[in-house]
Amino acid sequence: MHFLQKLTLAAALALAASVTLAAQPAGSDASLPIYMNTAYSFEERAVDLVSRLTLEEKQSLLGNNMAAVPRLGVRNYNVWSEALHGVLSGANPSVGILGPTSFPNSVAIGSTWDPSIAERMASAIADEARAIFQTGTKGLTFWSPVVEPIRDPRWGRTGESYGEDPFLAAEIARGFVRGMMGADAKYLKAVPTAKHYFANNSEFDRHVSSSNMDSRDMREFYLYPYKRLIEDENLPSIMSSYNAVNHIPTTAGNFYIDTLARRTYGMKGYVTGDCSAVQDLWDGHYYVETREQAAAAGLRAGVDSDCGNIYQHFAISAYEQGILPMADIDRALVHMFTVRMRTGEFDPEQMVPYTKFEPARVSSAANRALAAEIAVRTPVLLKNDGKVLPLDPKTLRTIALIGPQADDVELGPYSGRPEASAMISPYAGISKYLKDKGYDVDVKLAVGANIKSKSNLLYVAWFEIEKTDGSVTHYDATKYTSSSEGITVGSGMGTEDQVRTIDDGSWTAYDNIDITNIENITVGLNIPTEGGIVEVRVGGPDGNLIGRIEATRASGARVGGVYGSSMPMKTNALKLGYNGPQNVYLVYKAPTDAPIDEETINTARNADVAVVFVGTDENTATEEADRLTLLLPGNQVELIKAVAAVNPRTIVVMQTLGCVEVEEFRNLIPGIIWTGYNGQAQGEAIPRILFGEVSPGGKLNATWFKSVKDLPAITDYNLRRSSGNVGRTLWYFNREVSYPFGYGLSYTTFQYSNFRISQSAITPNDKITLCVDVTNTGDYSADEVVQLYVRTPDSPASLERPAKRLKGFKRVTIPRGQTRTVRIDVNCADLWFWDDKAERMTFDPGRYVFEFGSSSQDIRGSVSATMSGSLKRTLKTVWAEADASVLRIGQAAKATFTACMNDDSFYDGAKAVWTSNNPGVLTVSADGSMKAVSMGVATVTCSVTIDGKTVEDSFPMKVMPNLGLASLKVDGKPVKLGDAAQYSFVRKAGKAPKVEAVAADPAIAVNVKQAGSVPGTAVVTLRDVQTGEDRTLTVNFGTKGVSDSFQKPALGPQWSWVREDPSRWSLTEKPGAIQLTTGPGDIAQAGNDASNILLQSANTDWTVETKMVCANAPAAPAQNAGLVAYACDDNFVKFVYAATFNYRRPADAGPAAGQLQLMVEENGQQKSLTSLSLEGVAGVNDALWLRLVKQGDSYTAYYSVDGRKFEKVGQATAVLKDVKVGMMACEGAMPMMGRNAPRGGFQLPAAAPLKVAFEDFKIVSGGVK
Amino acid sequence: MLCRPAFWLILLLACNLFAAHGQENLPVTTPKGELKAVCESADGIQWAVTDAGEILRSADGVAWTVLDFNGQYAGYYPKMDFRAVAAGGGGVMVAGLDPDGHLAVFTSSRGTVWSARSLEYSQDGERGVLDVTPVSLSYDPLRDSFFLCGSGGTLFEMPGCSHCNRLTRYPADTLYVRIQAGFNAQLLGSGGFVIVEKP
């Protein structure tokens, strides 16, 4: 702040613009700072901007609320926005923005099997996003789409996923990503982020769990969509997930983010952590011990932005602790600003094609029409017995619309708030449709049932027993003695552990609860969705009832939601005369549903047709809450059965997040239509389907299992069949299902014929075309989705290949009576499997059977080809980077690269050709060594050629002014400059010499604080006024040291004590030595309480040596004694003989051999520690000679066992002012472990104090000549 | 935290006079606005805010630095009339009203660079943006969250994740303050409203 006050902002901006470049791009405007100059690449501009930031500015930009930096013209920016099926926002009348269009949700988009629909939808969403962005209320980075394949239908976020098969999920996602990014060659319309990378496929434990799998499942299933999006669409962003994979949190997974996403697949862009995922490294997975370590782990792994506050609060302290290099911070910010620049944020409006999006784009008529168009293409016809559908309105007098979704618009998860006028329920839509078409049909409405979830009822944290005497005993509900199956404990996004995954009938039991004279029972609980009943029973889940709490939304209890914490609910206890400790049970029940009312039954009975609208909503399952059951929630199944019993023409329309169990009712009704959450126009679409204006053309995007009992544990991420696992998805599940993957009927019929393949002998290097003729043999023009599955029957059974995989599909519109030839191209290279031993792709030789199907089980015909040969390995991805993004003039750095082949294996031994586009700024030599020459930016390119194919990669570098000195004078005499940060001079005590300093670069400000006297230290500070970065040099003036052989009965005047304890030192106990006895304390870390530190002034260079004899070896846990170069308790260099104690692993716990330690502490933080074990070298009563040599800021430690031959222990660097040197002996401090430990050590009692005799103290002083 | 502006202003002026005489290189300035709230973080740093958009910081309660938030961020953030401040968990948070009377909240780690805090929340499936008059801010180390109390009986929890905000409304016209008492929290509001929230 002091130096900034000396410069005006205008001067700073002038400096920002006046960058002297060795070469500038043609046509560039030199008056603009580089980061605003469009003649430079986005990457060069980003690194220039990052180089200008202060440390606190950098920290403030590492979170998703990126701060404004007015002095650089950087506006604030919220990285988080969502656009899964519409911008997650509402109307903003103050800026003329209507509620954004809400399109069908992902599960519905997946059922269209049409990537072009996803692309058109995403393009419309991006248009609305741009219009909203213009108002300054939201950013352009959107954390959509969800690309995890649906591994398990219970997953709470199934509604956000495109499908079960990774190929389907990838193809639909590709359309979405293309639509979001737009077609401009330079600028991005919006920035999609694929998530959640990866294997976040269960919600209830995702903050603490590990998704464990082998590398085959990892590569073939979980990573496949990301690979396709990055390689084929240049996906600019991914989000790291909460969970660990194989016990390494993805957010700290260098292999997952750096090796796979970047170096293997080639992702250029930014990585965000899921919200609080970085924090989960610390208090979820306990992967690190401090929040600083969490910041360091995330940034080192390559997570550039933290949706949380760990980076924004602890990155600086991590850097100051030396565990987070500035290069990692800079790299993250370069990624963030590059992507912001790619949106055109820093460019003149006229250059960016997306800046003219007026507010009227939002919820425009065109987008509403698109939402309606897509809503018609999503429905899947599951059953149509007797051609009950389509309905003919001419034959209807009355139509009954029944069910909780009949007059409701359920949008599903991650939905914005569209205009009310755009939200059309089925009742409204059907009524309008019939009226507009002129049909005189009486439309009757009856709700008849509820959609209240009967699972995931409650989260329970604690309970209290209050007695008649007013005493209250509090119990932690998560510490149950036993429970019913499926109960878990977790805190989700909160900090409070709760009993979770509570289903109807679940219970938790607590032994030895004293309920004598019980008066009241209070339970601390949260209602995540609908709630339930808590029964307090004694002796068993069916034991005597002593209390009941109705914790339901319907009863008016406060709903906390999935993120909520507990609130108390109390009930009077039934006094049944129990005395003493009892086994108390909390039994959880779903509210009982009322019977289906007669009015609803009569409405159904009296109608010509009854259409029952049922489904799920966000209370059924959502983020943080998996489904525990696959049944329709509430009493909807009872409603269907009741209606079917009175009306044979009952049609069920289900709108759900995915698979539901249908076996209980599907044989009772002739017609079933399913959609995923179908957007704001769902009511407009359904009549067009019901009445045959459009034939349903959707197909299921996932397998519909008969029962949840068919599924393995949701925590089991293995796909293949093994003991206890029936196998997952269409790839491996081998039991009967209700509806297979890809299933969907039509109002018409299709005949497949003339199956052909372009070649019957294939290699992995071929691209083939498969064709089939599809004839519409029915009465309606309709869409058909031709699906192409691949089997490899010749693969060895031991490899357990999938039963079949989807490898192509096409949705075609075929008018009635006509034939279309459907062509599907297949790249044989995409037929790979993963060889987990060779760690690369592999291709099984033999037959590949390509099946054309109307579903995965309705195969209409097939063709075969024989695969032979191997994939021609070609270079695919080169990844180049340096160990720094910003250098100062004169500094060097090293560039490295990796080369990945098209089989996803790495090539060892590739040669790179390195070039710099601006060698006047930065040079790079053949081995990647870089040297910063002058101020400016440069792009370093790495070019690799393997077998004739060349692939390049590049990265930007910025060179900043030198923070060095041009000259340094002491009393007018020039000092020869070196690399050291400290210069020492021997002078007589008294007035201090005058120090003068001149910076090497005029952009650097210099301040000299003179020494007060000799001994004393002058401090020279060089400061980059743009970034605030400074460098400190010290000039020490000291007097000659005085050696001491401790022969006299008193200490010489050169000595002084820090915290003298006369009872613990003696010159007489061992004549010819000063003997120190260890006392409690240390100066390491925050202890700062060691006594008897004996020091003399030594503010010069010197060599100090002492002979030390210990009465015993230093004892556990941390006794130590030796030499110390001391500025203060928080700034010193210690060279000691110390005990060591293994505390990390219980098996190793206990004392270990003594060791020599060279430790540096700067500003209270341990900066470095070098240790050398003395096992077998020194023992009881053996003398040790310790020598410590100071030269400038360098301290080198040596030891000897005979006083003649010295061995080097290590070297450390420290800049100490007003240095003293001497000896100390103390009990020492052991570092506290654990995330809640304060900084600093704690004391454990040692066996006995250690007596240490220092027989000699020799000092030879020196300094700059 | 409710303040006594006159007392604090006099104290601040006295501290500034002492600092001006006794120490060098300290940017001591008298704030222009009226002090509205003061707090101290666990590591002993004191913070205060004024209705002129100033944020004051002191490590010792004697020497204060004044950040002119409205001046520094003119054109980037709205001009603020700050009403509340709290510190903890490695950060500091301020809340106030913009010239149109809308709520805005900002956070910082060390007090010189400030980020806007999202006020979006989700309740019963509905999404909204909080817009109340702030009365106080507090930090709960057990939950690692900041809490804002304000008009409409508002208690707004802001954890580290910026879009995981949680809104609770209590039956009081104004919720004044949330006071940590061990694991429990006491909420005080207008009309004598008092409630103890257990974790």
Side-chain angles (χ1 to χ4, degrees):
Chain A
M1 289 288 282
H2 179 67
F3 297 104
L4 277 174
Q5 287 176 339
K6 293 186 177 180
L7 286 177
T8 63
L9 180 61
L13 283 173
L15 280 167
S18 65
V19 170
T20 303
L21 302 171
Q24 297 182 38
S28 70
D29 182 351
S31 69
L32 285 174
I34 290 173
Y35 68 94
M36 296 296 290
N37 192 330
T38 59
Y40 292 88
S41 70
F42 290 134
E43 291 80 3
E44 289 172 337
R45 294 165 63 188
V47 76
D48 177 66
L49 176 57
V50 169
S51 73
R52 298 166 187 267
L53 299 167
T54 67
L55 185 55
E56 194 181 344
E57 286 167 350
K58 288 182 181 180
Q59 178 174 261
S60 74
L61 292 162
L62 288 172
N64 66 322
N65 288 316
M66 298 177 80
V69 186
R71 67 181 183 87
L72 296 175
V74 177
R75 55 173 275 188
N76 63 304
Y77 187 88
N78 190 344
V79 182
W80 172 64
S81 291
E82 301 279 356
L84 187 68
H85 62 110
V87 178
L88 191 73
S89 178
N92 192 344
S94 65
V95 290
I97 295 285
L98 296 176
T101 309
S102 188
F103 295 91
N105 217 317
S106 296
V107 63
I109 297 295
S111 69
T112 68
W113 290 65
D114 190 343
S116 70
I117 279 182
E119 185 169 352
R120 289 170 60 206
M121 176 189 75
S123 181
I125 292 172
D127 288 352
E128 296 194 358
R130 273 283 175 178
I132 295 170
F133 176 71
Q134 297 297 113
T135 67
T137 51
K138 278 213 176 282
L140 287 172
T141 41
F142 294 92
W143 295 350
S144 312
V146 171
V147 302
E148 277 125 310
I150 303 169
R151 172 194 65 105
D152 189 307
R154 291 168 292 186
W155 178 39
R157 304 184 74 164
T158 299
E160 299 175 50
S161 170
Y162 293 129
E164 175 181 301
D165 184 279
F167 182 89
L168 175 65
E171 290 298 302
I172 303 293
R174 287 178 64 193
F176 184 95
V177 163
R178 284 195 300 268
M180 288 290 280
M181 294 198 295
D184 188 79
K186 183 174 180 184
Y187 296 102
L188 295 173
K189 187 159 49 157
V191 184
T193 298
K195 64 184 188 186
H196 309 74
Y197 185 83
F198 62 97
N200 176 177
N201 253 200
S202 66
E203 292 297 299
F204 75 97
D205 63 349
R206 60 183 184 160
H207 296 274
V208 300
S209 66
S210 179
S211 307
N212 299 330
M213 63 194 72
D214 65 12
S215 55
R216 274 183 53 185
D217 286 346
M218 186 188 297
R219 300 272 187 157
E220 293 172 11
F221 187 83
Y222 294 102
L223 287 174
Y224 180 88
Y226 294 98
K227 174 180 165 68
R228 296 293 308 283
L229 288 171
I230 295 169
E231 292 181 359
D232 297 340
E233 305 296 342
N234 296 313
L235 177 74
S237 175
I238 59 174
M239 171 193 283
S240 68
S241 57
Y242 291 120
N243 55 285
V245 173
N246 297 340
H247 305 292
I248 296 175
T250 60
T251 303
N254 190 277
F255 174 72
Y256 304 135
I257 294 174
D258 187 63
T259 303
L260 289 177
R262 294 200 192 272
R263 293 175 188 272
T264 303
Y265 304 146
M267 196 194 82
K268 289 284 187 183
Y270 83 98
V271 179
T272 179
D274 205 340
C275 291
S276 298
V278 178
Q279 177 158 344
D280 278 350
L281 298 179
W282 172 63
D283 66 0
H285 295 287
Y286 298 107
Y287 191 69
V288 295
E289 287 166 8
T290 67
R291 286 174 286 194
E292 287 83 357
Q293 289 175 1
L299 282 161
R300 273 205 310 271
V303 176
D304 303 309
S305 182
D306 174 17
C307 178
N309 62 11
I310 295 295
Y311 284 4
Q312 285 185 308
H313 287 177
F314 299 100
I316 291 180
S317 47
Y319 168 70
E320 289 171 344
Q321 287 177 17
I323 59 174
L324 175 61
M326 186 58 67
D328 288 340
I329 296 174
D330 288 347
R331 184 189 61 234
L333 292 173
V334 169
H335 290 158
M336 292 309 304
F337 278 109
T338 300
V339 82
R340 283 177 64 175
M341 288 182 177
R342 289 178 68 190
T343 66
E345 182 188 336
F346 289 80
D347 290 359
E349 272 197 9
Q350 61 269 22
M351 290 182 67
V352 184
Y354 305 120
T355 54
K356 300 286 185 288
F357 283 49
E358 67 285 3
R361 290 259 186 168
V362 181
S363 195
S364 65
N367 287 351
R368 292 191 189 201
L370 181 60
E373 179 195 333
I374 297 175
V376 163
R377 293 167 67 82
T378 65
V380 179
L381 182 62
L382 293 179
K383 187 173 185 186
N384 194 14
D385 282 359
K387 294 192 179 177
V388 66
L389 288 166
L391 303 173
D392 184 354
K394 293 195 291 293
T395 66
L396 300 176
R397 286 170 296 125
T398 309
I399 182 170
L401 305 182
I402 297 172
Q405 292 200 341
D407 194 20
D408 189 37
V409 180
E410 176 59 47
L411 298 175
Y414 279 83
S415 299
R417 299 188 302 279
E419 291 295 300
S421 60
M423 302 253 284
I424 304 168
S425 73
Y427 172 65
I430 290 170
S431 300
K432 183 176 188 299
Y433 181 89
L434 291 170
K435 184 179 171 195
D436 289 350
K437 298 284 184 190
Y439 295 113
D440 183 20
V441 180
D442 191 9
V443 181
K444 298 287 192 192
L445 176 68
V447 174
N450 70 75
I451 203 169
K452 296 191 179 81
S453 174
K454 287 197 173 72
S455 78
N456 221 8
L457 299 175
L458 300 163
Y459 300 158
V460 179
W462 52 268
F463 63 95
E464 289 178 348
I465 304 293
E466 182 183 351
K467 297 197 176 182
T468 51
D469 63 1
S471 63
V472 175
T473 307
H474 183 94
Y475 297 92
D476 182 345
T478 69
K479 302 286 188 282
Y480 47 82
T481 318
S482 60
S483 73
S484 56
E485 195 179 332
I487 290 288
T488 59
V489 171
S491 59
M493 291 287 283
T495 55
E496 177 187 52
D497 276 345
Q498 299 157 331
V499 176
R500 293 184 165 214
T501 51
I502 292 176
D503 218 350
D504 184 18
S506 298
W507 53 264
T508 48
Y510 308 88
D511 290 351
N512 300 318
I513 305 296
D514 183 4
I515 56 172
T516 310
N517 298 326
I518 186 171
E519 181 72 31
N520 296 311
I521 305 164
T522 304
V523 180
L525 52 79
N526 172 44
I527 301 173
T529 56
E530 302 291 348
I533 314 291
V534 182
E535 295 178 345
V536 187
R537 294 182 177 273
V538 179
D542 298 314
N544 286 328
L545 183 73
I546 62 168
R548 184 179 186 278
I549 295 171
E550 182 164 349
T552 62
R553 180 198 291 258
S555 71
R558 184 157 62 87
V559 177
V562 292
Y563 301 113
S565 55
S566 60
M567 65 208 161
M569 293 193 74
K570 183 190 275 195
T571 184
N572 290 334
L574 293 171
K575 298 168 183 58
L576 299 181
Y578 283 104
N579 285 321
Q582 302 292 333
N583 295 341
V584 170
Y585 284 69
L586 298 182
V587 185
Y588 312 101
K589 302 268 179 74
T592 307
D593 294 310
I596 309 298
D597 61 279
E598 274 307 307
E599 186 178 344
T600 299
I601 304 297
N602 288 333
T603 301
R605 178 186 290 119
N606 297 330
D608 294 318
V609 65
V611 186
V612 187
F613 291 89
V614 294
T616 61
D617 63 13
E618 273 210 87
N619 289 328
T620 310
T622 184
E623 189 165 7
E624 297 288 325
D626 297 312
R627 283 193 282 178
L628 306 180
T629 170
L630 295 179
L631 295 169
L632 280 167
N635 58 350
Q636 296 179 98
V637 173
E638 286 70 31
L639 176 68
I640 293 170
K641 288 156 78 171
V643 169
V646 300
N647 194 321
R649 289 181 81 195
T650 295
I651 312 296
V652 168
V653 177
M654 288 189 292
Q655 180 175 253
T656 73
L657 77 163
C659 158
V660 294
E661 290 182 18
V662 295
E663 294 302 311
E664 199 175 339
F665 60 84
R666 73 167 175 155
N667 290 331
L668 304 177
I669 47 182
I672 303 175
I673 293 174
W674 172 80
T675 73
Y677 298 124
N678 212 18
Q680 66 185 35
Q682 56 194 246
E684 196 178 324
I686 198 61
R688 298 180 67 199
I689 297 287
L690 286 173
F691 298 114
E693 185 180 324
V694 178
S695 172
K699 301 280 186 176
L700 290 180
N701 64 343
T703 303
W704 280 46
F705 301 95
K706 286 197 166 190
S707 168
V708 70
K709 297 185 180 68
D710 290 340
L711 298 172
I714 196 172
T715 50
D716 187 345
Y717 279 73
N718 294 307
L719 298 178
R720 300 191 292 282
R721 285 188 289 278
S722 55
S723 58
N725 186 348
V726 299
R728 287 193 177 277
T729 77
L730 76 154
W731 285 17
Y732 294 106
F733 187 81
N734 63 349
R735 293 187 184 173
E736 273 194 31
V737 299
S738 294
Y739 299 111
F741 174 82
Y743 181 87
L745 302 174
S746 174
Y747 292 156
T748 192
T749 50
F750 295 103
Q751 186 179 67
Y752 288 45
S753 63
N754 199 10
F755 308 92
R756 44 209 191 277
I757 186 171
S758 55
Q759 59 196 80
S760 57
I762 58 175
T763 74
N765 308 297
D766 293 327
K767 291 183 171 63
I768 59 176
T769 300
L770 295 105
C771 300
V772 60
D773 294 338
V774 181
T775 304
N776 185 338
T777 53
D779 298 325
Y780 293 87
S781 296
D783 288 1
E784 170 67 330
V785 178
V786 176
Q787 302 159 41
L788 187 71
Y789 297 90
V790 181
R791 293 189 292 114
T792 56
D794 294 339
S795 295
S798 59
L799 291 177
E800 292 185 87
R801 295 305 189 204
K804 62 179 71 178
R805 296 180 294 175
L806 181 72
K807 281 299 177 187
F809 60 89
K810 193 162 282 189
R811 180 167 177 152
V812 292
T813 302
I814 308 178
R816 56 181 283 202
Q818 293 194 23
T819 300
R820 289 284 181 269
T821 298
V822 176
R823 289 184 171 77
I824 298 176
D825 294 325
V826 172
N827 184 350
C828 292
D830 195 39
L831 302 175
W832 57 274
F833 297 103
W834 186 254
D835 184 337
D836 53 3
K837 292 185 178 51
E839 287 290 302
R840 62 176 64 180
M841 291 177 186
T842 188
F843 297 82
D844 292 351
R847 279 178 299 153
Y848 280 62
V849 178
F850 296 88
E851 298 181 335
F852 295 88
S854 186
S855 83
S856 60
Q857 289 184 5
D858 180 9
I859 302 301
R860 303 299 185 88
S862 63
V863 291
S864 294
T866 302
M867 172 83 78
S868 64
S870 54
L871 181 72
K872 181 175 187 298
R873 290 180 82 219
T874 59
L875 184 58
K876 178 183 67 158
T877 307
V878 169
W879 189 269
E881 65 179 19
D883 52 10
S885 300
V886 180
L887 298 175
R888 297 245 169 223
I889 295 174
Q891 285 184 324
K894 190 78 162 70
T896 57
F897 76 98
T898 53
C900 185
M901 308 299 281
N902 60 342
D903 62 0
D904 286 354
S905 66
F906 285 94
Y907 189 97
D908 289 328
K911 297 281 184 287
V913 174
W914 296 96
T915 54
S916 163
N917 76 341
N918 207 343
V921 166
L922 181 102
T923 62
V924 59
S925 59
D927 66 352
S929 300
M930 302 184 294
K931 188 77 184 289
V933 176
S934 67
M935 263 176 60
V937 293
T939 295
V940 175
T941 300
C942 172
S943 179
V944 177
T945 302
I946 297 174
D947 294 333
K949 183 176 175 189
T950 301
V951 177
E952 292 184 345
D953 189 32
S954 59
F955 56 87
M957 294 291 298
K958 171 72 187 284
V959 178
M960 299 287 286
N962 189 356
L963 270 180
L965 288 173
S967 71
L968 179 69
K969 290 182 182 173
V970 173
D971 274 347
K973 287 190 185 146
V975 175
K976 186 176 175 196
L977 295 172
D979 293 332
Q982 184 163 84
Y983 298 86
S984 302
F985 295 84
V986 180
R987 290 286 188 275
K988 287 196 168 72
K991 187 181 167 202
K994 184 180 174 188
V995 174
E996 295 164 277
V998 176
D1001 195 295
I1004 302 299
V1006 181
N1007 178 265
V1008 180
K1009 184 168 182 249
Q1010 302 291 342
S1013 61
V1014 178
T1017 299
V1019 180
V1020 178
T1021 306
L1022 299 126
R1023 191 173 186 97
D1024 184 330
V1025 296
Q1026 281 195 49
T1027 68
E1029 183 182 347
D1030 54 39
R1031 180 175 170 231
T1032 299
L1033 303 162
T1034 57
V1035 184
N1036 286 6
F1037 300 106
T1039 54
K1040 268 191 175 179
V1042 180
S1043 301
D1044 199 335
S1045 56
F1046 304 112
Q1047 300 292 334
K1048 295 181 182 165
L1051 285 172
Q1054 73 271 31
W1055 295 111
S1056 61
W1057 292 102
V1058 172
R1059 292 183 287 270
E1060 183 190 3
D1061 178 357
S1063 68
R1064 289 182 181 271
W1065 71 269
S1066 169
L1067 280 170
T1068 54
E1069 206 168 317
K1070 194 170 180 194
I1074 180 164
Q1075 182 160 280
L1076 303 181
T1077 305
T1078 57
D1082 202 332
I1083 50 174
Q1085 300 170 80
N1088 291 355
D1089 52 0
S1091 58
N1092 282 348
I1093 305 176
L1094 181 64
L1095 301 167
Q1096 63 171 268
S1097 177
N1099 204 29
T1100 62
D1101 289 343
W1102 37 254
T1103 299
V1104 153
E1105 190 178 303
T1106 188
K1107 179 184 173 187
M1108 188 174 79
V1109 181
C1110 300
N1112 310 91
Q1119 285 181 342
N1120 62 90
L1123 295 171
V1124 59
Y1126 180 94
C1128 64
D1129 285 341
D1130 287 329
N1131 289 279
F1132 59 82
V1133 176
K1134 248 171 74 168
F1135 176 39
V1136 294
Y1137 177 32
T1140 55
F1141 190 87
N1142 283 323
Y1143 49 76
R1144 277 207 170 263
R1145 292 181 291 272
D1148 299 335
Q1155 58 178 230
L1156 291 170
Q1157 290 179 347
L1158 178 64
M1159 175 198 293
V1160 175
E1161 188 166 302
E1162 253 181 21
N1163 300 321
Q1165 300 276 0
Q1166 183 180 298
K1167 184 184 157 192
S1168 68
L1169 175 66
T1170 306
S1171 55
L1172 176 73
S1173 172
L1174 287 179
E1175 187 151 5
V1177 175
V1180 174
N1181 290 329
D1182 283 353
L1184 262 182
W1185 281 258
L1186 303 182
R1187 178 187 289 168
L1188 188 61
V1189 178
K1190 175 188 179 299
Q1191 272 186 304
D1193 58 358
S1194 169
Y1195 293 79
T1196 310
Y1198 304 84
Y1199 82 98
S1200 171
V1201 297
D1202 59 9
R1204 292 189 295 277
K1205 184 165 182 278
F1206 281 81
E1207 303 285 348
K1208 184 175 174 182
V1209 174
Q1211 184 270 335
T1213 306
V1215 178
L1216 302 178
K1217 292 181 278 198
D1218 301 322
V1219 185
K1220 299 188 175 88
V1221 70
M1223 298 148 289
M1224 65 180 292
C1226 62
E1227 290 297 313
M1230 203 169 90
M1232 185 91 85
M1233 299 304 294
R1235 65 180 174 93
N1236 291 320
R1239 281 172 31 196
F1242 65 92
Q1243 294 298 307
L1244 286 177
L1250 174 67
K1251 288 184 189 300
V1252 183
F1254 295 91
E1255 290 184 3
D1256 209 357
F1257 181 88
K1258 291 183 190 148
I1259 178 168
V1260 176
S1261 301
V1264 175
K1265 297 287 184 281
Chain B
M1 181 186 289
L2 299 175
C3 70
R4 290 170 287 178
F7 166 76
W8 286 109
L9 183 58
I10 291 168
L11 177 64
L12 185 61
L13 284 170
C15 293
N16 284 338
L17 282 171
F18 175 82
H21 286 307
Q23 303 179 44
E24 63 178 355
N25 295 335
L26 288 171
V28 175
T29 327
T30 306
K32 294 177 289 199
E34 185 178 314
L35 279 174
K36 288 294 189 179
V38 183
C39 74
E40 182 171 345
S41 64
D43 57 1
I45 304 295
Q46 295 173 49
W47 301 87
V49 291
T50 77
D51 60 2
E54 295 154 307
I55 302 170
L56 291 72
R57 180 186 184 278
S58 174
D60 57 12
V62 174
W64 290 81
T65 57
V66 179
L67 176 82
D68 179 6
F69 179 93
N70 288 344
Q72 178 166 315
Y73 287 104
Y76 289 84
Y77 296 138
K79 196 171 164 190
M80 294 303 299
D81 163 7
F82 287 126
R83 303 290 182 91
V85 61
V92 55
M93 181 176 281
V94 297
L97 299 174
D98 71 11
D100 295 327
H102 296 305
L103 173 67
V105 175
F106 300 90
T107 63
S108 177
S109 60
R110 300 198 171 188
T112 57
V113 182
W114 292 84
S115 307
R117 169 77 191 204
S118 168
L119 298 175
E120 292 191 31
Y121 64 90
S122 179
Q123 192 179 40
D124 293 338
E126 293 292 314
R127 293 195 175 267
V129 179
L130 187 72
D131 194 7
V132 300
T133 300
V135 176
S136 69
L137 281 168
S138 59
Y139 174 74
D140 182 338
L142 295 174
R143 298 174 68 90
D144 192 20
S145 290
F146 284 89
F147 285 87
L148 180 146
C149 294
S151 61
T154 296
L155 180 70
F156 195 63
E157 181 178 2
M158 292 173 280
C161 160
S162 63
H163 65 273
C164 302
N165 299 326
R166 293 187 270 276
L167 171 66
T168 311
R169 294 214 190 265
Y170 289 90
D173 285 340
T174 303
L175 202 64
Y176 291 141
V177 68
R178 181 184 187 273
I179 303 169
Q180 196 84 25
F183 286 100
N184 300 336
Q186 186 175 53
L187 304 177
L188 306 177
S190 59
F193 178 82
V194 178
I195 193 170
V196 174
E197 293 279 11
K198 295 192 174 185

